[in-house]
Amino acid sequence: MEAEGLLHFSDKVRTYFPKLPAWSDPVTIQDLLNHSSGFGDEWGTMLLMQGDMDNRVDKEQLLTMLYHQPKPQVEPGTGYMYSNSEFALLRWIMEIAAKQSLPGYLKQKLFVPLGMSST
C-alpha cells in the first residue's frame, strides 16, 4: 500500500482516527508496526474487566476504549509493548486507505495475481 501511495509508514494515526487521545499525536503507522504506539492491548484490558477471553469486542467498543485511554502504556515511539489493538488499528487504516475491505484488497492485489486460491 505504501508503494502504491495509498498510505505511508510515517502517516500519523490520528489522521485516520482524530478522536484518539492527544498524547497519541506523534504515533505513526510505523509505531503500530513496531508495537511502540503506547496503545493498550484490548485482550489484556478485557481480562482485567471480565476475566474471560471468550468475549469479543466490536470495532466501536475498541475505539471507545482507545479514545479514552488516559495515558500511553509505553512512551510512543520509544518503548515496546505488544498490543493486539495496534493490529486492529492497522487493519482499519488499511481499509480506509484502500477504500475497501482488507480481504477484498488482498484478494485483488495479492492472492489473484499470484494464483493463490487456497492456503
Side-chain angles (χ1 to χ4, degrees), residues 27 30 45-46 55 71 87 112 119:
V27 176
Q30 186 69 55
T45 301
M46 285 178 54
N55 295 320
K71 63 181 182 173
F87 284 125
V112 170
T119 61

Side-chain angles (χ1 to χ4, degrees), residues 4-72:
E4 291 179 53
L6 297 176
L7 55 72
H8 301 283
F9 294 137
S10 60
D11 288 350
K12 304 289 186 186
V13 175
R14 284 188 77 197
T15 301
Y16 299 90
F17 296 98
K19 292 182 184 177
L20 288 170
W23 64 258
S24 67
D25 193 50
V27 176
T28 64
I29 290 174
Q30 186 69 55
D31 293 323
L32 296 178
L33 291 165
N34 291 341
H35 294 291
S36 61
S37 72
F39 290 118
D41 181 62
E42 64 189 280
W43 295 109
T45 301
M46 285 178 54
L47 282 173
L48 288 172
M49 293 182 341
Q50 302 172 6
D52 185 358
M53 287 186 68
D54 289 334
N55 295 320
R56 299 287 187 253
V57 294
D58 63 26
K59 181 178 180 178
E60 293 308 314
Q61 289 171 314
L62 177 55
L63 285 174
T64 298
M65 181 187 90
L66 295 175
Y67 291 160
H68 293 95
Q69 184 177 328
K71 63 181 182 173

Side-chain angles (χ1 to χ4, degrees), residues 81-101:
M81 186 187 86
Y82 183 87
S83 173
N84 290 293
S85 302
E86 293 167 322
F87 284 125
L89 285 171
L90 282 167
R91 177 195 179 136
W92 299 327
I93 288 169
M94 291 171 75
E95 290 181 337
I96 291 167
K99 297 183 175 97
Q100 63 177 309
S101 72

